[in-house]
Amino acid sequence: MDIPMVDLKIQFESLRDEIESGFRQVLETTHFILGPQGRSLETEVAAYCGVQHAIAVASGTDALHLALRAAGIGSGDEVITTAFTFIATAEAISYVGAEPVFVDIDPETFNIDVDLIEAAITPRTRAILPVHLFGQPADLEPIAALCRRYNLKCIEDCAQSFGADYGGKMTGSFGDFGCFSFFPSKNLGCYGDGGMIVTDSDDLAHTVRVLANHGSQERYHHAVIGYNSRLDELQAVVLRAKLPQIDRYNQARRRNAALYTERLQDWEGRSPVEDGKGTHVYHQYTLLTKRRDAVQKALAETGIASAVYYPIPLHRQEIYRERFADVSLPVTEAVASQVLSLPMYPELTEAQIDRICAVVLTA
């Protein structure tokens, strides 16, 4: 039997009755956008994250874009972030006319190296945008300290870290904004695109809501140029069904990660490293190996999926490489050439993990 990177069907079957009942309710009321399901989801996510406000939007990319826009970041500004992430992180910075400034990553966690951030701050720097990569929280306390010292915004990219904590506090609740993605494969995922912005600021929350709804706070009255970025009610139904299960899902991911690490302890490559400063929720279980191609080929030949996140760092992507031709990020580039992610989802069985590890160990 093949083993996929993620099996969403198993999870759906366990929640089928609740989701289908919610769908029927939405279909019968025909209230598809900005309705009670979305409002309830926002209240529940805010409570879970320990913040005052949660605003549901159309995608994780929109969450980053709207947060940057609401923070007043625009043309001529700089935002410090990592190049070892999905394109949306830098894309959102470019959307508002600002310039991404890429800092190298920590070789152990693959998150932004906090010791390198201060040297990248200039008079044009307006924000730091850490990414909690693969579900491991970035080292937030020194980032928050730099933001206070230099009067910078902190916008957390939590696309892969729903349910992760740093020192007992949820990711997304440290910065001015926390930006989540609900893409189907995420730890908390819907059945399409979706996202969420969380914040403790009344003013910033209000600005995001206006921007996300065509610049309007009263129907047919538009104070600013906004966007159409709203989570529909059907997606909210799915997320509300899954949210009460998220801690259980993440505990299962951590259990599976521990099994992987135990089975691979004598392997020549390297398993993920936890820095102990927060709870890793293993959106991905990512190995580091100089024999990536051989291992991936062996897995594919036995029907086991794997993936490379991410093969090309952002400063080497076609859209950015000319602008950042002189930028050298040696750790990022070395890691990008060696990472390989194995199947990871809560319902993955010990027998499946044993099978996967047997292939990795003999490849």
Side-chain angles (χ1 to χ4, degrees), residues 229-297:
S229 186
R230 302 170 301 196
L231 185 77
D232 70 70
E233 290 286 276
L234 294 174
Q235 302 304 338
V237 165
V238 175
L239 293 164
R240 292 190 69 205
K242 290 186 177 185
L243 180 59
Q245 310 299 324
I246 188 63
D247 289 342
R248 180 173 65 84
Y249 291 159
N250 285 338
Q251 288 164 6
R253 287 174 178 272
R254 287 185 55 76
R255 177 201 66 216
N256 291 339
L259 289 172
Y260 269 132
T261 299
E262 179 186 356
R263 304 297 193 272
L264 298 173
Q265 60 184 329
D266 296 324
W267 181 56
E268 62 183 6
R270 202 192 82 187
S271 295
V273 175
E274 295 190 34
D275 63 9
K277 297 176 181 178
T279 303
H280 196 326
V281 294
Y282 288 97
H283 173 62
Q284 300 295 340
Y285 185 90
T286 302
L287 305 174
L288 203 62
T289 173
K290 294 180 180 178
R291 301 185 61 254
R292 179 172 71 193
D293 291 348
V295 175
Q296 189 164 37
K297 182 174 183 290

Side-chain angles (χ1 to χ4, degrees), residues 210-227:
V210 170
L211 288 171
N213 190 30
H214 296 286
S216 173
Q217 55 183 318
E218 180 183 353
R219 196 173 188 186
Y220 301 129
H221 292 75
H222 306 273
V224 297
I225 296 297
Y227 307 90

Side-chain angles (χ1 to χ4, degrees), residues 28-340:
E28 287 167 1
T29 62
T30 68
H31 196 161
F32 297 112
I33 297 170
L34 297 178
Q37 292 287 344
R39 289 194 297 271
S40 294
L41 175 67
E42 290 177 338
T43 299
E44 291 157 6
V45 167
Y48 180 85
C49 291
V51 296
Q52 293 298 310
H53 304 279
I55 305 99
V57 296
S59 69
T61 306
D62 278 6
L64 290 166
H65 179 201
L66 290 165
L68 288 159
R69 174 84 191 274
I73 295 168
S75 180
D77 295 333
E78 294 177 348
V79 177
I80 295 172
T81 191
T82 168
F84 191 56
T85 178
F86 184 58
I87 186 67
T89 306
E91 203 172 37
I93 297 169
S94 297
Y95 284 164
V96 298
E99 185 83 4
V101 174
F102 297 121
V103 168
D104 214 345
I105 59 173
D106 180 283
E108 298 292 314
T109 66
F110 307 154
N111 283 324
I112 191 168
D113 189 333
V114 295
D115 293 333
L116 302 177
I117 293 175
E118 189 166 18
I121 296 173
T122 76
R124 295 171 57 198
T125 306
R126 292 289 305 282
I128 302 173
L129 204 167
V131 178
H132 306 302
L133 195 71
F134 302 149
Q136 171 137 272
D139 195 358
L140 288 166
E141 188 49 50
I143 293 173
L146 285 171
C147 288
R148 290 191 295 269
R149 187 181 313 155
Y150 290 96
N151 192 29
L152 306 175
K153 296 294 186 184
C154 179
I155 299 171
E156 297 177 62
D157 185 336
C158 308
Q160 301 180 7
S161 72
F162 198 100
D165 75 85
Y166 177 92
K169 188 175 179 181
M170 290 295 178
T171 58
S173 66
F174 280 80
D176 296 275
F177 292 107
C179 302
F180 294 92
S181 168
F182 296 139
F183 187 77
S185 63
K186 295 296 193 289
N187 293 39
L188 180 66
C190 57
Y191 293 158
D193 279 315
M196 186 78 76
I197 300 171
V198 300
T199 182
D200 270 326
S201 168
D202 295 345
D203 290 341
L204 292 176
H206 174 75
T207 300
V208 168
R209 287 195 186 279
V210 170
L211 288 171
N213 190 30
H214 296 286
S216 173
Q217 55 183 318
E218 180 183 353
R219 196 173 188 186
Y220 301 129
H221 292 75
H222 306 273
V224 297
I225 296 297
Y227 307 90
N228 179 12
S229 186
R230 302 170 301 196
L231 185 77
D232 70 70
E233 290 286 276
L234 294 174
Q235 302 304 338
V237 165
V238 175
L239 293 164
R240 292 190 69 205
K242 290 186 177 185
L243 180 59
Q245 310 299 324
I246 188 63
D247 289 342
R248 180 173 65 84
Y249 291 159
N250 285 338
Q251 288 164 6
R253 287 174 178 272
R254 287 185 55 76
R255 177 201 66 216
N256 291 339
L259 289 172
Y260 269 132
T261 299
E262 179 186 356
R263 304 297 193 272
L264 298 173
Q265 60 184 329
D266 296 324
W267 181 56
E268 62 183 6
R270 202 192 82 187
S271 295
V273 175
E274 295 190 34
D275 63 9
K277 297 176 181 178
T279 303
H280 196 326
V281 294
Y282 288 97
H283 173 62
Q284 300 295 340
Y285 185 90
T286 302
L287 305 174
L288 203 62
T289 173
K290 294 180 180 178
R291 301 185 61 254
R292 179 172 71 193
D293 291 348
V295 175
Q296 189 164 37
K297 182 174 183 290
L299 289 166
E301 287 174 347
T302 56
I304 299 169
S306 62
V308 177
Y309 305 115
Y310 297 93
I312 306 174
L314 300 189
H315 68 303
R316 296 291 179 253
Q317 291 287 344
E318 182 178 355
I319 189 62
Y320 289 125
R321 66 188 179 203
E322 183 176 345
R323 195 182 323 170
F324 297 102
D326 296 332
V327 172
S328 176
L329 304 174
V331 179
T332 296
E333 290 158 21
V335 166
S337 71
Q338 298 178 44
V339 284
L340 182 66

